[in-house]
Amino acid sequence: MAETSTSSSNSFNNTNGGSPLSNIAQDHLVTILLLLPVDSILCFAMACKKFRALTASDTLWESICRRDWGPKSVEALKASNFHHQLPWMRLYKQVSRLDSVYCHKLPNPEGELVFPSPRASHSLNFVSDCLVLFGGGSEGGRHLDDTWVACIGNDFRRMLKWQKINSGIPSGRFGHSCVVIDDFLVLFGGINDNGIRHNDTWVGKVACHETLGITLSWRLLVVGPDAPSQRGAHAACCIDGRKMVIHGGIGLHGVRLGDTWVLELSENFRFGTWYEIVAHPCPPARSGHTLTCIRGTRTVLFGGRGLGYDVLHDVWFLDIHEGQPKWVQILYELQNVPGGVSLPRVGHSATLILGGHLLIGGGEDSYRHRKNDFWVLDISAVPSITMQPTTLNSVQLLAKMWKRLKANGYKPKCRSFHRACTDNSGRYLFVFGGMVDGVLQPADPAGLRFDGELVLVELVLQL
C-alpha cells in the first residue's frame, strides 16, 4: 500500500517542480481550451510563458474562430485570403469590437436594362456564390413572380449583372419565406395580390453551366398531410443545417398567428415532413418579425407587429434540442439600452454576421417612421439563458447585448420590408428593395414607394 501511495503521489508531481498542467500534451491542452470561453482562455495565458505562447498560437485561434463563428465563415475567409492580413487572434478581437459598417451602393452596369424592378416583401438569399431574388410586392399592390440571379463570387464591389431566370414558378407572391439549406433554397407560403394565402413548399436549385450560364430550377416539395396553415409575413430560418423553422405571420381573414412549425427534409430534398412545436410560454402572435439561427438548433426571434397592431421590441430565444423545444424570453427595459427608444420595429432584417451576432437593420415603428440604422444583437452576452424568463437589469450588460453601429459611406434610404443576406464569410451584407418614403403625390397620399437599389454593407475591421 505504501508503494502504491508513493507511486500515485509521484505521478501527480511535476519532475521539473512546475505545475502538473505543464506535463499535459499540447494537443490535449488545446482540446481543453476549446471547451472554455475566451475570457477563461486569456486568463489561462497568464499562468506561465509556456501557456502564454500556446494561447497566442494562430492554430488555436483559428480553431476558436471556427468554434464561435462556424466553419463556413472561417473557410470563406481563408478562401479569400483575408485572414492573411491579420493573425486569427487579432482578427477575433477586431470582430468582437465591431462598432461600424461602411455602405456601398452597387450600381447596375451602364446601358444594362435587365435588372429587378423595385419591390418589397420579396426574398433574397446567398447560395452557390450567387444572389437569388424571388417575387415580392410592387406598385399598386401587385405581386411579382420573377426569379433573378446575380453571380457574386469573391468580387463584392463590382457592378452586378442580374440574370432573369424564369417567371410563373412558383406563382407570384409576397411575404413568403425562403431559406438556404445546403445548396438548396426552400420557400414557403406568401400572399398574392388577390389576398390569397399560400402554404405550399418549394425547393430551388442553382446551377452554373458553361453554355447555358446560370440556371435555377424550382419544384414543388411533396409533404405529408400535416402542414402549417396558409400565411404570409411570417418569419423563418434554417436550423441544424437540414431543417426549416417558421413562426407566426398573417393567416386567413387577416388573423395574426403565433404557432411554430418545423420542416424536416429527406436526403434527396424531394420529400418533407412538417410538425408543429408546442411549448409554453411562447411568443405572442405577430407578423413582420424575424427568426434567425445563431448556431445549431438555437434561434432568436425579434420584433414584429402584434395583435393590437403595436410594434414590438421583445427578444425570444428558441432551442429545439433533442425533441424538447423551449422558448425563453429575454426581458429588458428600453430606457436601459443606449438609444434603445428606437428599437421597436417591424419589417426589419436580422442577419447572422461574422462573429456569431445578429445585424438588425431598417424597419418601421408604430407611426410608420422608417429607419436606416444598424444594430448588433449579441445573445452570448446574456448569462443563464436557459432560465425562464431571463431578466436583464444591468445597463452595462445591456450595452454588451445591444450596440448601435456607426454607418459610413453611402447613406441608404430609410426602408422597411426590404430583404438582406450575407456572403459565406458573414462580413458582407447585401440589402435589396423595400418600402421607402416618397414625394407626396395627390394620388399617393401615403407618400410611399418601392425601392430597387442594392446596397452592400461591409463590416469595418481595423486592419
Side-chain angles (χ1 to χ4, degrees):
M1 287 293 294
E3 290 180 358
T4 303
S5 177
T6 302
S7 174
S8 299
S9 176
N10 288 338
S11 67
F12 286 98
N13 289 331
N14 186 342
T15 55
N16 296 323
S19 168
L21 285 175
S22 61
N23 289 333
I24 301 177
Q26 181 166 311
D27 57 335
H28 292 172
L29 278 175
V30 169
T31 301
I32 294 171
L33 290 174
L34 289 175
L35 299 175
L36 302 176
V38 169
D39 288 347
S40 298
I41 295 174
L42 296 177
C43 290
F44 185 80
M46 300 170 64
C48 67
K49 290 183 179 179
K50 176 182 178 180
F51 296 155
R52 192 176 304 121
L54 172 62
T55 53
S57 72
D58 211 41
T59 302
L60 173 65
W61 280 95
E62 179 183 340
S63 298
I64 293 172
C65 292
R66 192 177 297 272
R67 178 195 71 180
D68 293 352
W69 303 347
K72 181 185 287 188
S73 291
V74 171
E75 291 303 321
L77 290 172
K78 292 177 71 172
S80 66
N81 293 322
F82 171 74
H83 79 286
H84 290 310
Q85 301 177 50
L86 286 178
W88 286 106
M89 181 179 183
R90 189 176 170 196
L91 180 59
Y92 190 98
K93 290 181 178 179
Q94 292 295 332
V95 170
S96 65
R97 296 169 182 170
L98 176 71
D99 65 357
S100 64
V101 295
Y102 195 93
C103 300
H104 312 259
K105 182 179 178 180
L106 297 181
N108 294 305
E110 292 185 12
E112 183 65 56
L113 299 178
V114 181
F115 50 85
S117 60
R119 65 191 69 202
S121 297
H122 47 288
S123 57
L124 181 71
N125 301 93
F126 188 87
V127 59
S128 301
D129 291 330
C130 294
L131 283 179
V132 179
L133 183 153
F134 169 74
S138 60
E139 297 288 349
R142 293 177 291 109
H143 66 240
L144 299 168
D145 62 1
D146 48 351
T147 301
W148 295 79
V149 178
C151 184
I152 300 293
N154 290 324
D155 190 2
F156 298 101
R157 295 184 182 86
R158 66 182 174 86
M159 291 186 293
L160 300 185
K161 185 173 182 180
W162 287 100
Q163 179 179 336
K164 188 175 182 179
I165 302 297
N166 52 29
S167 295
I169 300 177
S171 60
R173 64 192 70 196
F174 54 87
H176 54 281
S177 60
C178 189
V179 305
V180 176
I181 301 181
D182 286 348
D183 291 328
F184 292 85
L185 296 168
V186 181
L187 182 149
F188 172 79
I191 307 172
N192 68 16
D193 52 17
N194 293 319
I196 297 175
R197 274 75 168 163
H198 299 281
N199 70 338
D200 49 352
T201 309
W202 292 80
V203 172
K205 176 67 173 177
V206 176
C208 297
H209 306 273
E210 291 185 4
T211 55
L212 299 177
I214 303 172
T215 63
L216 191 151
S217 57
W218 289 103
R219 56 181 170 78
L220 188 65
L221 185 71
V222 177
V223 298
D226 296 325
S229 59
Q230 299 94 326
R231 70 191 66 202
H234 52 282
C237 67
C238 166
I239 64 166
D240 215 16
R242 293 290 302 182
K243 303 174 185 177
M244 180 185 192
V245 182
I246 70 163
H247 176 272
I250 301 177
L252 299 177
H253 312 296
V255 175
R256 284 184 171 77
L257 307 171
D259 51 347
T260 305
W261 289 75
V262 175
L263 173 67
E264 289 191 350
L265 292 150
S266 63
E267 288 294 328
N268 59 8
F269 283 80
R270 294 193 174 275
F271 306 96
T273 303
W274 284 102
Y275 62 90
E276 185 176 5
I277 288 176
V278 179
H280 298 284
C282 62
R286 67 191 65 206
S287 63
H289 53 301
T290 51
L291 187 67
T292 314
C293 180
I294 54 175
R295 184 184 299 177
T297 58
R298 292 178 285 179
T299 64
V300 175
L301 181 151
F302 172 69
R305 192 183 301 278
L307 287 173
Y309 215 65
D310 51 325
V311 173
L312 308 170
H313 67 274
D314 53 344
V315 176
W316 291 77
F317 178 84
L318 172 66
D319 193 359
I320 305 172
H321 181 63
E322 296 181 354
Q324 297 180 337
K326 185 177 183 180
W327 284 103
V328 178
Q329 184 177 8
I330 302 173
L331 300 170
Y332 64 99
E333 298 293 336
L334 283 178
Q335 62 266 26
N336 292 334
V337 179
V341 67
S342 67
L343 277 177
R345 62 191 65 204
V346 58
H348 54 281
S349 59
T351 315
L352 186 70
I353 59 171
L354 182 64
H357 306 151
L358 297 190
L359 181 61
I360 295 172
E364 61 183 54
D365 62 21
S366 56
Y367 300 101
R368 294 288 177 90
H369 296 153
R370 288 172 179 79
K371 307 169 185 292
N372 65 350
D373 53 352
F374 294 98
W375 287 81
V376 164
L377 173 58
D378 181 6
I379 294 297
S380 67
V382 182
S384 305
I385 200 168
T386 57
M387 304 298 291
Q388 172 65 29
T390 298
T391 304
L392 299 183
N393 295 318
S394 167
V395 175
Q396 184 177 9
L397 191 60
L398 282 170
K400 292 181 179 179
M401 174 179 162
W402 284 108
K403 180 194 295 184
R404 182 169 180 169
L405 301 182
K406 298 187 291 287
N408 302 309
Y410 175 72
K411 186 177 181 180
K413 304 179 187 74
C414 297
R415 68 189 65 225
S416 60
F417 297 98
H418 54 285
R419 293 296 182 261
C421 64
T422 62
D423 74 312
N424 289 331
S425 74
R427 191 189 175 196
Y428 298 95
L429 179 84
F430 297 92
V431 180
F432 182 86
M435 300 184 69
V436 298
D437 298 327
V439 178
L440 288 175
Q441 302 285 345
D444 185 19
L448 302 176
R449 65 183 177 88
F450 292 82
D451 191 66
E453 71 176 11
L454 178 65
V455 178
L456 173 66
V457 181
E458 178 182 358
L459 307 187
V460 176
L461 305 177
Q462 302 299 322
L463 303 180

